[in-house]
Structures are given as structure tokens and as C-alpha cells.
């Protein structure tokens, strides 16, 4: 059975690892191409770059004889999920969408929830503050609209320096991060407020725990709505879906 995983997340890597050695599946992992050196999964074909919208993806699915798609992209990657949903409808290829549960505020958390990056920049207020930005390099430019704050911005890949707010210190690092390291980081930069996307999962949760520990407010950017008809919470559930689909198609074929 030919399977396409739309990736760029821990869940997608976990799925690729699981399917790599499984002779029932011929798996392709697709990445957008934003990361410099993506991890290879022996036994899984890697394709990199956009498909060219819904039509491009639908064409790719048909041409490759794809029997199942698992959309394991990031909760904030809304466009590719909308495309996957539309392409799956168009081609009739079954689609399973992995949406990891969001974080919820706990006792001791001081969150201000906003629905866009622009609203997050606005929520920082008129008084100059020292801000830790953990929002992905593509969103950093939005904070140019609030140039009176001092920013410490962390991203996996280096951002375009010309697009940054004037007072920005860059940190290049990839999770998972540990709580004590995050506490030390926030303290050493004398951070007043954290801005984060509600990514969910454990890899980047330590900054939220650190903010709680230090009594710092968090401006939490809520997720966009992700398209998908069959939604599961993790890689394990997506694997179970795939195995059910495989068993069904075998019995339909009388194998
Ligand atoms: P997006 O806005 O939803 O998608 C923009 C375009 O990028 C899509 O229309 C598609 O181009 C291409 N694309 C996205 N994911 C792709 C994939 N897995 N394979 C092939 N093409 C893909 O996506 P994004 O928010 O920029 O995220 C891009 C990638 O980074 C995704 O793989 C996502 O899982 C990962 N990621 C995103 C975030 C985040 O905060 N957004 C965080 C961590 C990881 P075409 O229309 O040409 O097909």
C-alpha cells in the first residue's frame, strides 16, 4: 500500500520510523523544504518542496497510486492541511490528520490568549518590555510593528535579519528543551514576557513551565483551524488507522 506522510513534525518522523521496516507499506515522507538538513529514514522515500497547491497534490497522489495520506504537519501549518483535505476529496484517497492536543493553562500560569501574531505584538503593550519570542522565524517580522520592545528570538533556522524588529537578539536552537535550561535562559536575558504559539506536545513545553516557575506572563497564540475529516491525536492512532485501512483493503480484494 502506497502511503504519503505530510511531515515536518516529530509525529511524522515517528510514523516514518515505524513504517520504514513494514513490508505492507511503501512510504513517502514529504517535507516543505524549510529545514536545512532533514533526517533520513532508510526505507522511506523523501520528497522535498511544495506540490503546487491542491491540483499539484491531487496530481501527485494519482500519479503515485497513493492509497492513503497521513497529514502529520504542524498544528499551525493550516494551508497544507486544507490542500490535503481538498486533494483527498478530489481523488478519493483516504486521509488521516494528526492534530496533537493543545496546551491548557494550569494553576500558576498567566496567559493572555490571542488569535493572531499581529494581536500578540499588540498585546505586548505600550511600555517597553524584554520579550522572549518563540514563534518560528517566519513570524518574527510581525513584531516590527512593536519596535519599542527588546526581543530575544529563538528559531531553528536563521531568520532574514532585515525583517527583524530593531532590538533583537537571535538564538538558533532546536528542541527538545529542558525546563531548567529555559529558566536559566529567561533569567539571563531578564525576560518580562514570553510569546509562544500553542504548539502542544512536549518538545517545546519547557518554556511554558519556566514562565510559570518565574511568574512571567505568556502571550499565547491560539491555533488556526486545521482541515481534516478523520482527526487523531498522535502517531500511534494514525498507525492504527492505517493498519485498519490496510486490513480493509485486503479483505475487499479477497486477499
Ligand atoms: P503551510 O503554511 O500550511 O503551507 C504552505 C505551503 O508549503 C503549502 O501550500 C505547500 O506548498 C508547502 N508545504 C507545507 N508543508 C509541506 C509538506 N509537508 N510537504 C510539501 N509541501 C509542504 O505550512 P507552514 O506553516 O509554512 O509549514 C511548513 C512545514 O513546516 C510543514 O511541513 C510543517 O509541518 C512544518 N512546521 C511548521 C511549523 C509552523 O509553526 N507553521 C512549525 C514546525 C514545523 P504547495 O501549495 O506548493 O504544495
Amino acid at each position: 500500500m502506497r502511503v504519503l506522510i505530510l511531515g515536518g513534525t516529530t509525529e511524522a518522523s515517528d510514523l516514518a520510523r515505524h513504517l520504514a521496516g513494514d513490508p505492507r507499506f511503501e512510504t513517502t515522507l514529504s517535507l516543505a523544504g524549510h529545514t536545512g538538513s532533514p533526517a533520513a529514514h532508510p526505507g522511506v522515500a523523501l520528497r522535498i518542496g511544495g506540490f503546487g497547491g491542491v491540483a499539484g497534490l491531487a496530481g501527485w497522489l494519482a500519479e503515485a497510486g497513493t492509497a492513503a495520506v497521513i497529514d502529520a504537519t504542524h498544528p499551525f501549518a493550516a494551508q497544507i492541511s486544507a490542500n490535503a483535505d481538498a486533494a483527498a476529496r478530489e481523488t478519493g484517497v483516504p486521509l488521516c490528520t494528526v492534530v496533537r492536543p493543545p496546551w491548557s493553562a494550569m494553576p500558576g500560569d498567566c496567559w493572555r490568549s490571542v488569535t493572531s501574531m499581529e494581536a500578540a505584538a499588540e498585546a505586548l503593550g505600550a511600555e517597553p518590555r524584554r520579550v522572549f519570542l518563540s514563534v518560528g522565524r517566519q513570524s518574527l517580522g510581525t513584531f516590527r510593528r512593536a519596535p519599542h520592545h527588546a526581543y530575544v528570538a529563538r528559531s531553528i533556522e536563521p531568520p532574514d535579519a532585515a525583517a527583524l524588529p530593531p532590538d533583537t537578539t537571535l538564538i538558533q536552537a532546536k528542541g527538545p528543551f529542558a525546563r531548567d535550561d529555559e529558566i536559566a535562559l529567561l533569567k539571563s536575558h531578564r525576560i518580562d514576557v514570553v510569546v509562544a504559539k500553542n504548539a502542544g506536545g512536549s518538545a517545546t513545553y519547557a518554556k511554558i513551565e519556566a514562565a510559570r516557575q518565574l511568574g512571567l506572563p505568556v502571550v499565547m497564540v491560539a491555533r488556526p483551524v486545521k482541515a481534516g475529516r478523520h482527526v487523531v491525536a498522535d502517531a500511534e492512532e494514525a498507525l492504527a488507522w492505517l493498519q485498519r485501512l490496510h486490513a480493509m483493503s485486503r479483505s475487499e480484494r479477497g486477499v
Side-chain angles (χ1 to χ4, degrees), residues 135-171:
V135 293
R137 66 177 161 154
Q138 285 164 324
S139 299
L140 296 176
T142 306
F143 292 85
R144 283 170 70 90
R145 64 179 60 208
H148 51 294
H149 304 299
Y151 296 98
V152 176
R154 184 169 66 195
S155 61
I156 298 173
E157 300 287 330
D160 174 4
L164 297 175
D167 185 352
T168 302
T169 303
L170 289 175
I171 298 173

Side-chain angles (χ1 to χ4, degrees), residues 7-8 30-32 34 49-53 73-74 76-80 83 197:
S30 175
L31 301 175
H34 296 174
F51 292 91
T73 55
H74 191 269
F76 278 80
Q79 185 61 58
I80 185 68
N83 292 358
K197 295 203 265 199

